[in-house]
Amino acid sequence: MLPQLQNQANCYFISEPNLDTTVKKFFELESLPGDSREITKSEEEIYCEGHFVKIYKRDQTGRIIVQLPLKENAESVLGRSKESAIKRLNGIWNKLNKNNTMETLYKEFMREYENLGHMEEIKNENMGKVNYYIPHHAIYKPEKTSTSLRIVFDAGAKTTSGVSLNSIFLNGGIIQQILFSIVSRFRTQK
């Protein structure tokens, strides 16, 4: 037979000299990465943010247009990209010649891309001005119902100088919070 517990009333007292400090420590323990509002920015990130504020504008449809910030002397270090882009394009044409459906979808995509103003034909290549031809390739998956053809642009492809288009842009930093913080935000809702 087990001994029976007697009903006891207990009273505990915690003496804390500063309640504010205790509450602050509690919330620091409970916070997640990315919850902090104090984000330290580098000089480059601060410059990019200022550049955006000064340069951005909206077009008649409401879309934001902004010139991407380049590193200092970026245009002088960027080499030629036309030859490698043409080489990749010839590879795409070989694929397209074997598949009429893929060819039709590719031409439709390129026509729409040009109509939206995302690319333009360079008629007279100006040697004084830097032109960059972005190499790309097509991914065709006929089983996909929404987008069976996807075009992937490769601005990370190196030019004749060994520098890519991506590498001459300034880094504006990450403006989105850490994914874990976003997903776990459910805990703050009732």
Side-chain angles (χ1 to χ4, degrees):
M1 186 167 174
L2 294 173
Q4 299 227 346
L5 293 175
Q6 296 177 347
N7 289 340
Q8 291 181 342
N10 297 318
C11 178
Y12 297 99
F13 177 73
I14 297 174
S15 173
E16 179 61 46
N18 189 343
L19 184 60
D20 290 339
T21 306
T22 306
V23 171
K24 185 177 179 183
K25 284 180 184 176
F26 170 77
F27 280 106
E28 285 173 1
L29 281 172
E30 287 295 309
S31 68
L32 295 169
D35 281 352
S36 173
R37 297 288 178 233
E38 297 175 24
I39 298 170
T40 308
K41 294 181 182 176
S42 68
E43 284 183 37
E44 192 171 307
E45 291 170 336
I46 293 167
Y47 173 81
C48 288
E49 194 173 293
H51 172 81
F52 175 81
V53 170
K54 281 191 299 189
I55 302 293
Y56 91 96
K57 61 183 177 185
R58 289 190 181 268
D59 66 7
Q60 58 272 24
T61 64
R63 291 175 57 187
I64 294 177
I65 299 171
V66 65
Q67 180 184 354
L68 296 172
L70 296 174
K71 292 180 180 175
E72 199 172 313
N73 300 324
E75 293 179 359
S76 63
V77 297
L78 192 62
R80 293 184 316 279
S81 61
K82 187 174 183 178
E83 297 81 19
S84 65
I86 288 174
K87 195 182 278 186
R88 288 226 208 154
L89 184 61
N90 288 334
I92 292 171
W93 284 122
N94 290 336
K95 275 185 179 180
L96 298 178
N97 288 333
K98 296 173 187 170
N99 187 329
N100 290 336
T101 309
M102 185 176 171
E103 180 181 13
T104 304
L105 291 169
Y106 179 82
K107 287 179 178 178
E108 282 176 17
F109 175 86
M110 287 299 175
R111 202 172 297 113
E112 179 186 7
Y113 208 71
E114 187 175 19
N115 291 339
L116 290 170
H118 298 321
M119 71 175 179
E120 63 185 54
E121 181 181 356
I122 299 174
K123 295 185 180 175
N124 297 319
E125 193 168 356
N126 184 350
M127 295 315 261
K129 184 180 177 194
V130 176
N131 300 315
Y132 185 81
Y133 300 83
I134 301 179
H136 64 280
H137 63 275
I139 299 174
Y140 180 60
K141 294 185 178 179
E143 68 276 3
K144 294 263 185 168
T145 54
S146 59
T147 51
S148 55
L149 181 81
R150 208 167 44 97
I151 306 296
V152 179
F153 293 93
D154 185 10
K158 292 186 171 31
T159 62
T160 54
S161 66
V163 176
S164 71
L165 181 64
N166 282 347
S167 66
I168 67 168
F169 290 121
L170 289 171
N171 183 352
I174 300 169
I175 58 173
Q176 180 180 347
Q177 291 180 347
I178 298 170
L179 185 59
F180 178 74
S181 175
I182 294 169
V183 172
S184 61
R185 226 180 263 149
F186 76 90
R187 67 186 176 85
T188 62
Q189 302 300 320
K190 288 184 180 180

